[in-house]
Structure formats: structure tokens, C-alpha cells
Amino acid sequence: GHHGIWGKGNGTWPLNMYDSSVKVPTIVSQPGRVASGVVRADLLSAYDLAATILELAGVDPAPMQAGPGRSFAPLLLEASVTPDQHARVVVLDEYGPARMIRSREWKYVNRWPEGPDELYHLAADPGETVNLIGDPDAQAVRDALAEELNAWFERHIDPLHDGQRLPVIGTGQAGPAGEPEAFQGPLWDT
């Protein structure tokens, strides 16, 4: 019910990227290695999980770190570790062309091609209630985050599997990508 939404990112149009929709708490237990009762607020992603599980299992995580993912096992094994690599997290919406980058202080949401884009100063507005995308005082932050987001995708995206320009909207994908009948919603129902 946050922001008046009953559902996740695909529960709205345009697709939302509010923290209450995209953040997923994680519980890790490995008695004797991972301390119990420790709560961390690090910015991590599902793309970090495979490398982390491998490292915790004693297997070389390097094959899973060829892309954007990085093991966060050191965060679990040593409570004082805070690597710079987890200072930002990038999230893409599997339901369409919404992408976001988030730091501890700021969040920028880009929706291709026509927006609406969003910029939140999370340190001052953790509830994401004041969109600063048009605020001239916030344009330098917006531009820097937009550049960082685009650079991340240039480094990590496989153009053959990039869904940003696919016409998937709120109702999601119903079949294999690349087939017009795979998509549902107003663009395809007309």
C-alpha cells in the first residue's frame, strides 16, 4: 500500500521503482561463519548473489564476477567491511524500459523513451515523495547519475537481450521476447 500502490513494479503505469517495491530483504545464515543478529544496510543486488554463495561455499566466485555481480561474502564474514564496490546499485525492471541507479543519498529513475523520470534525495526524503527531476539545483546530480547509469549498461548489457526498447508495459510479458504476441497491454491490444 505504500504510495497508494497494491502490487510491485508492474502494478502501476508508468512502472514504479520505489524502494518499497524494489528493495528485498535478505537473510543469510551459515552458523560458525556468518554472525547471527547482524543487520546491514549495504546496497546489494540479486546479481551479487551467485558470486556470494560460491565464495561462502569455498568455490572461486570469479566466473560469476565477469559481469556486474560481486561477492558480498566479506560483508557477511567481517561486520566492519564496507567495500566501495557496493556504494551504488543499478536496478532494471524486467517488465519494461524502467531503469534506476541508487546511492545511499540519491536515486535516479529513467524510463525510456518519454519518462517520466524521477530523482529523489533519499537522505532528505526517504519516502520518495518529492521528485526533484526538474529542480535546477539538482541537475548536476541528475546528470551524473544518468551518465553513470548509461555507462553501467554499456559495460554490462548484451544488446541481443536488452529489453529497454521492447514495448512491454504494466501487464508484463506473456511469451518469448522477439515475438509480437509475447507482449500484452494497450500498445498491442489496439
Side-chain angles (χ1 to χ4, degrees):
H2 295 95
H3 298 278
I5 298 167
W6 297 96
K8 299 246 337 134
N10 66 334
T12 62
W13 184 254
L15 304 169
N16 80 80
M17 293 291 237
Y18 291 120
D19 274 3
S20 56
S21 183
V22 299
K23 283 176 71 175
V24 178
T26 303
I27 299 172
V28 178
S29 175
Q30 192 176 29
R33 289 193 71 207
V34 176
S36 63
V38 176
V39 177
R40 298 194 58 107
D42 298 278
L43 294 174
L44 307 169
S45 180
Y47 49 72
D48 297 320
L49 281 173
T52 303
I53 291 168
L54 287 176
E55 186 170 347
L56 289 173
V59 178
D60 181 11
M64 299 310 295
Q65 296 181 135
R70 297 290 174 263
S71 172
F72 58 87
L75 297 175
L76 301 170
L77 300 173
E78 302 173 42
S80 63
V81 174
T82 307
D84 291 339
Q85 70 196 33
H86 296 292
R88 300 222 188 307
V89 66
V90 172
V91 175
L92 59 141
D93 192 318
E94 69 272 21
Y95 297 108
R99 293 175 171 177
M100 138 191 136
I101 186 167
R102 186 191 191 286
S103 68
R104 286 174 181 35
E105 192 170 344
W106 291 92
K107 176 191 281 188
Y108 168 66
V109 178
N110 174 254
R111 294 185 186 88
W112 185 89
E114 66 263 351
D117 294 343
E118 297 171 73
L119 179 68
Y120 297 104
H121 187 200
L122 299 172
D125 178 23
E128 301 172 83
T129 60
V130 180
N131 184 359
L132 300 173
I133 199 70
D135 184 337
D137 294 334
Q139 288 310 294
V141 171
R142 180 221 146 320
D143 292 346
L145 288 173
E147 184 177 320
E148 191 174 344
L149 181 68
N150 289 331
W152 189 94
F153 276 94
E154 285 178 23
R155 268 192 321 275
H156 298 296
I157 200 73
D158 177 349
L160 294 175
H161 298 99
D162 184 3
Q164 183 184 29
R165 288 175 170 75
L166 294 176
V168 180
I169 59 173
T171 55
Q173 188 170 331
E179 298 175 14
E181 61 274 7
F183 306 104
Q184 300 174 358
L187 290 178
W188 296 101
D189 293 341
T190 57

